[in-house]
């Protein structure tokens, strides 16, 4: 059964069911077919595919399948919640508010739906899973941890731990410290190193960035981790200046290991709040200056290529309008 699931085959399909009556009866009596249904798909010109899944209670959630530029593998961006309570000013999911958290099987059903989509559409095999979709993973950590265990179990989806990543805004030092036992790479959505600006962009921020940073440092040391990934959504005239880069460098300098900074040019969103409606993407020159400043100070710094923005499938653009009856 797990071999079928890994291949994107529903073991309950008529053609996939066991041929012997006894084996078929055992399957049907002990297991249930996937409850989530893919009700819509959309493709971007870059090959990125966004999936809209309807859950058993009628709510819906989005995930995204992103083929690598070299065509060798795909990355799946999965959601951990329907909506999000963190309220990031630049994020469409944050504008939804939180409806509820997803169960472990609802997270895993996104991976299975992505496997089916790859099989049917000739996309590269899935290698990477990133918890960067809808929701804050640390607000649903039990389900996220359980899903990660199944994803990397050799008798489950059999993915490599080094290809799994959990991204968080870091709601509190306590919640960050709970990441010590999480079987995945860690990413911190910083967006601004200076406290007042961070509060503007992530209004639910309740701790100083230094406090959150120190909690990550403790986790990295206890995990003997190779280093933290840090994400910054660069917004024109808001957080993309050299002073912002300097503050970020100062914030990250005490972290153990090799810190990797991923700059994400802001993706325009409709339907945001009064602050978010004013945001524009940083210019390429501003992004380059920011990157150059950090690299000159021996931080690994890359710029994420925008993928899926034509179908509102890029970073910060996921949101659903389908509601339970």
């Amino acid at each position: 059964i797990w071999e079928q699931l890994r291949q994107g085959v529903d073991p309950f399909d008529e053609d996939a069911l066991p041929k012997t009556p006894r084996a078929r009866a055992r399957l049907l009596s002990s297991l249930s077919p996937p409850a989530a249904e893919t009700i819509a798909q959309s493709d971007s010109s870059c090959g990125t595919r966004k999936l809209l899944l309807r859950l058993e209670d009628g709510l819906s959630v989005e995930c995204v399948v992103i083929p690598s530029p070299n065509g060798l593998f795909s990355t799946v961006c999965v959601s951990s919640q329907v909506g999000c309570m963190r309220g990031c000013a630049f994020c469409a999911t944050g504008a939804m508010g939180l409806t509820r958290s997803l169960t472990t099987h609802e997270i895993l059903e996104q991976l299975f739906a992505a496997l089916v989509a790859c099989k049917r559409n000739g996309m590269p095999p899935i290698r990477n899973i990133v918890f960067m979709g809808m929701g804050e993973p640390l607000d649903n950590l039990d389900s996220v941890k359980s899903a990660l265990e199944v994803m990397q179990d050799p008798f489950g989806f059999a993915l490599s731990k080094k290809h799994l990543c959990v991204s968080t805004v870091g709601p509190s030092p306590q919640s960050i410290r709970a990441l010590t036992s999480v079987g995945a790479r860690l990413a911190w959505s910083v967006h601004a190193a200076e406290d007042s600006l961070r509060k503007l962009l992530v209004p639910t921020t309740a701790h100083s960035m230094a406090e959150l940073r120190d909690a990550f440092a403790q986790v990295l040391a206890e995990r003997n981790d190779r280093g933290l990934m840090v994400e910054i959504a660069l917004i024109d005239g808001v957080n993309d200046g050299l002073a912002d880069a300097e503050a970020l460098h100062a914030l990250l300098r005490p972290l153990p290991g090799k810190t990797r900074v991923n700059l994400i040019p802001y993706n325009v969103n409709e339907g945001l709040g009064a602050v978010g409606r004013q945001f524009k993407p940083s210019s390429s020159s501003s992004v380059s200056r920011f990157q150059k400043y950090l690299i000159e100070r021996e931080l690994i710094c890359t710029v994420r290529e925008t993928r899926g923005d034509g179908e509102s499938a890029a970073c910060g653009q996921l949101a659903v309008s389908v509601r339970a009856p």
Side-chain angles (χ1 to χ4, degrees):
I1 291 173
W2 274 108
E3 184 177 352
Q4 291 176 316
L5 292 172
R6 288 192 292 267
Q7 294 173 355
V9 175
D10 186 344
F12 289 88
D13 284 348
E14 188 63 32
D15 293 340
L17 283 169
K19 302 306 179 186
T20 64
R22 182 178 180 182
R24 181 176 293 209
R26 184 179 179 186
L27 172 67
L28 295 175
S29 64
S30 58
L31 298 174
S32 301
E37 176 188 4
T38 301
I39 58 174
Q41 301 186 40
S42 58
D43 296 327
S44 295
S45 58
C46 63
T48 296
R49 180 174 291 261
K50 182 170 71 171
L51 309 179
L52 177 65
L53 276 64
R54 182 167 57 207
L55 307 175
E56 198 168 12
D57 61 0
L59 292 172
S60 54
V61 69
E62 290 181 327
C63 64
V64 182
V65 189
I66 309 164
S68 63
N70 60 15
L72 296 180
F73 62 88
S74 292
T75 296
V76 184
C77 178
V78 298
S79 297
S80 57
Q81 297 178 304
V82 181
C84 183
M85 67 182 293
R86 293 298 147 192
C88 295
F90 50 84
C91 179
T93 308
M96 289 176 56
L98 176 64
T99 301
R100 70 169 176 86
S101 292
L102 299 180
T103 63
T104 298
H105 73 261
E106 288 171 335
I107 295 173
L108 293 172
E109 283 180 335
Q110 295 173 66
L111 172 53
F112 177 66
L115 287 163
V116 172
C118 287
K119 179 181 178 66
R120 293 180 178 175
N121 297 282
M123 300 180 72
I126 292 170
R127 190 189 75 175
N128 302 331
I129 307 294
V130 294
F131 282 78
M132 299 182 183
M134 299 169 62
E136 165 52 58
L138 265 62
D139 289 335
N140 187 24
L141 189 56
D142 288 344
S143 292
V144 168
K145 287 176 66 175
S146 297
L148 286 167
E149 291 171 0
V150 177
M151 288 175 180
Q152 62 190 281
D153 192 312
F155 297 103
F157 285 106
L159 296 169
S160 172
K161 175 182 175 180
K162 68 180 181 180
H163 293 145
L164 308 177
C165 180
V166 174
S167 175
T168 174
V169 299
S172 69
Q174 180 180 2
S175 64
I176 292 169
R177 285 191 285 268
L179 289 169
T180 302
S181 60
V182 169
R185 296 185 62 194
L186 304 179
W188 183 18
S189 294
V190 171
H191 304 309
E194 195 274 323
D195 287 336
S196 60
L197 180 55
R198 199 346 161 92
K199 181 76 173 177
L200 174 71
L201 296 177
V202 187
T204 54
T205 301
H207 301 268
S208 72
M209 295 303 284
E211 289 175 303
L212 300 179
R213 186 267 324 276
D214 291 346
F216 272 109
Q218 180 182 345
V219 170
L220 294 172
E222 291 180 2
R223 287 164 52 107
N224 194 26
D225 205 297
R226 57 180 174 172
L228 184 67
M229 181 184 297
V230 171
E231 298 156 337
I232 307 284
L234 287 181
I235 304 169
D236 182 48
V238 176
N239 64 348
D240 63 348
L242 288 181
D244 301 297
E246 181 180 0
L248 179 65
H249 176 255
L251 174 70
L252 302 180
R253 189 164 37 197
L255 289 173
K258 287 186 175 294
T259 303
R260 294 163 171 80
V261 178
N262 194 5
L263 304 180
I264 309 168
Y266 168 69
N267 296 299
V268 176
N269 276 309
E270 297 181 1
L272 298 181
V275 174
R277 285 196 296 270
Q278 303 176 49
F279 292 158
K280 297 178 181 178
S282 293
S283 66
S284 58
S285 60
S286 294
V287 174
S288 296
R289 280 195 300 270
F290 202 107
Q291 181 186 29
K292 182 174 182 288
Y293 182 93
L294 296 179
I295 290 175
E296 287 176 345
R297 284 148 185 84
E298 300 184 350
L299 278 176
I300 300 170
C301 184
T302 57
V303 179
R304 182 184 297 179
E305 179 185 358
T306 299
R307 305 288 300 276
D309 56 323
E311 296 296 330
S312 296
C315 181
Q317 291 185 322
L318 298 188
V320 293
S321 57
V322 179
R323 294 287 186 263

